[in-house]
Amino acid sequence: MAVIIGSARGSEYNSSGWDGKAKAGDQTGKEVSTQAWYLHSKGWVVLRPKDPAVAEKIAKNMEAACQNELIGYDQSERSTLYNAAKKVGFDCSKVTTKVETDCSALVRVCCCYAGIDPGNIRTAGETEALVKTGAFEKLTASKYTTKSDYLKRGDILNTRTSGHTVVVLTDGALAYKYFKKPAIKTVSIVDALNSIGENWTFEYRKKIAAANNITNYKGTALQNGTMLAKLYAGTLIKP
């Protein structure tokens, strides 16, 4: 199954909008929309949110933007979505007036919805701006940039040079890897992780918990028991 991405793609005239012809709102249903992942001619860089909760909010808001026909594409009016969305907590589903955006301006709104503002970015400087926030990991290995198998929902793709940026909305087939099952029997998640040569520290277990939807991890017996059960079942996802 193809990985789906979302972005602001182009005006109703398949242009940037600087010709003054574009009308506010999505006139075609495709100005801001989803599509199957593709390899851009300029190549991708992957910006992965360090916090899975941030990734989910970014993806959720991109989906909302793609579903809101009041949001169209026009580079010359790219700030109008930002200004309207700011009034409603940057939630694109709550924008009720016809507005315009472009690919990087929309990514900014999605990030703001997740509590991270990278500033008034454009694709030429977007990668550096997102990394500078401290909330994203930059991935450049070919398995992330030349195919979709390892992409995760909420990843942001940006071209290596000025061009285009999108948000990944579905997971790739190999997006998540599971920890191998321990050979020993133990009631300690620390001992179990240690037995398979994995990092067992509290900070790393917090990351494991987040990747497995174990919220507000404090290392309680219930949380560790849930994690341990998943580990022995072979379904504990690596962060």
Side-chain angles (χ1 to χ4, degrees), residues 84-139:
K86 185 176 181 179
K87 299 175 183 177
V88 290
F90 294 103
D91 186 341
C92 287
S93 71
K94 295 181 179 179
V95 173
T96 57
T97 56
K98 290 185 177 181
V99 294
E100 302 280 62
T101 189
D102 66 10
C103 62
S104 52
L106 178 53
V107 164
R108 181 192 185 187
V109 170
C110 291
C111 289
C112 286
Y113 179 70
I116 301 161
D117 187 357
N120 188 21
I121 53 175
R122 293 184 183 271
T123 53
E126 180 180 321
T127 296
E128 290 72 21
L130 291 176
V131 170
K132 190 176 180 179
T133 68
F136 295 87
E137 178 183 6
K138 179 181 176 181
L139 303 175

Side-chain angles (χ1 to χ4, degrees), residues 4 21 23 43-44 57 60 62-63 100 124 126 128 137 156 170-171 211:
I4 302 301
K21 296 180 180 180
K23 295 179 181 179
W44 294 119
K57 287 183 178 180
K60 180 180 178 181
M62 177 57 77
E63 288 173 333
E100 302 280 62
E126 180 180 321
E128 290 72 21
E137 178 183 6
I156 295 173
T170 59
D171 295 324

Side-chain angles (χ1 to χ4, degrees), residues 9-25:
R9 299 168 62 182
S11 77
E12 62 266 41
Y13 297 101
N14 197 29
S15 66
S16 63
W18 288 102
D19 54 14
K21 296 180 180 180
K23 295 179 181 179

